[in-house]
Amino acid sequence: MGRRTLELGRTVLRAGFVAFVLAGVWFRVALRRGSREQEIYRAVVRLGPTAMKLAQVASTRPDLVPASVSRRLESLQEAAPRFSFDEARKVVEHELGAPIDALFRVFPEDPIASASLCQVYFATLPDGSDVAVKVQRPGIEPKIVRDVRILRALAQLVALLRPSLRNLRLADAAAEFGRWTLRELDFRLEGENADEFRRNFTAWPDIQLP
């Protein structure tokens, strides 16, 4: 019971923060203190992984969002704001159970790409093999669960206030977004897909997969 109450409190605090950030966007744009595109981008980055994931989807749908906003959000596909090397090192060492210097001969401090959910590093194993290491943003899963809960509540509120939008089933869409995003956090599934893809192309010598 105490854990559920604590999580509810965290969700309420998060919802208040989301409302504060979005209200700030409206205020600054209304007073013309910043461009709409830049203010939306800053808000998305400030709100974190879930918002960045939604923005990535929005950037591919200029039919749903203004084209200028879509173009501004495109950079989040592979150039999202980075988290620090110290945070990445802690994640790697926690997941793999050993110091990073024991796991890799070379592990650079700078990632080659940074997206909404993770960063990618080119590293070298002790035997000299070159590998790509995909590191999730620290503490990302509970943050996404919390944000999706807020998204569903907002969708239900919109449906109550705007009955004409009920056919869009926004709450169901928010829930599906949450399931899809959480599946992306399971890198085992991604690895299994890569293995199956590799098996399907064993007869193609020009195609190589990690």
Side-chain angles (χ1 to χ4, degrees):
M1 184 66 179
R3 183 176 297 178
R4 293 181 61 184
T5 301
L6 179 61
E7 180 57 29
L8 177 60
R10 287 173 174 169
T11 301
V12 171
L13 287 174
R14 175 64 176 172
F17 177 71
V18 171
F20 173 77
V21 172
L22 295 180
V25 172
W26 180 87
F27 180 79
R28 285 188 293 274
V29 172
L31 294 182
R32 298 185 178 181
R33 293 185 176 178
S35 69
R36 176 182 58 178
E37 296 79 13
Q38 187 63 18
E39 291 300 328
I40 290 175
Y41 175 85
R42 288 175 178 170
V44 165
V45 170
R46 192 174 181 190
L47 290 175
T50 309
M52 287 193 284
K53 193 65 181 176
L54 281 170
Q56 286 179 343
V57 175
S59 71
T60 66
R61 296 296 304 271
D63 56 318
L64 297 180
V65 297
S68 59
V69 174
S70 175
R71 288 193 298 269
R72 184 65 186 90
L73 297 177
E74 282 180 355
S75 63
L76 293 172
Q77 295 287 351
E78 293 184 355
R82 299 177 177 182
F83 54 93
S84 71
F85 173 71
D86 284 341
E87 292 175 296
R89 177 177 51 77
K90 289 176 183 177
V91 172
V92 172
E93 293 181 345
H94 174 74
E95 292 294 330
L96 301 183
I100 202 168
D101 292 339
L103 294 164
F104 302 93
R105 180 188 297 177
V106 177
F107 197 103
E109 294 193 5
D110 294 325
I112 62 163
S114 180
S116 58
L117 306 183
C118 61
Q119 292 182 169
V120 180
Y121 297 81
F122 276 172
T124 305
L125 297 177
D127 65 1
S129 301
D130 293 325
V131 294
V133 184
K134 199 171 184 180
V135 184
Q136 289 183 9
R137 291 182 179 273
I140 189 173
E141 185 168 350
K143 294 177 183 177
I144 290 178
V145 170
R146 207 168 291 136
D147 284 349
V148 169
R149 193 177 296 131
I150 295 170
L151 276 175
R152 293 188 66 181
L154 288 174
Q156 291 167 350
L157 178 62
V158 169
L160 286 174
L161 297 177
R162 297 288 300 274
S164 61
L165 298 178
R166 288 176 183 172
N167 290 337
L168 295 178
R169 301 171 65 95
L170 296 176
D172 290 344
E176 179 61 23
F177 168 80
R179 287 191 293 269
W180 169 58
T181 303
L182 289 172
R183 279 180 60 86
E184 283 195 53
L185 295 181
D186 190 344
F187 288 169
R188 294 169 299 181
L189 295 175
E190 185 174 342
E192 290 168 3
N193 291 336
D195 288 340
E196 182 176 356
F197 200 80
R198 186 188 306 107
R199 288 192 295 269
N200 291 339
F201 285 89
T202 53
W204 296 62
D206 294 335
I207 298 179
Q208 297 184 13
L209 296 168

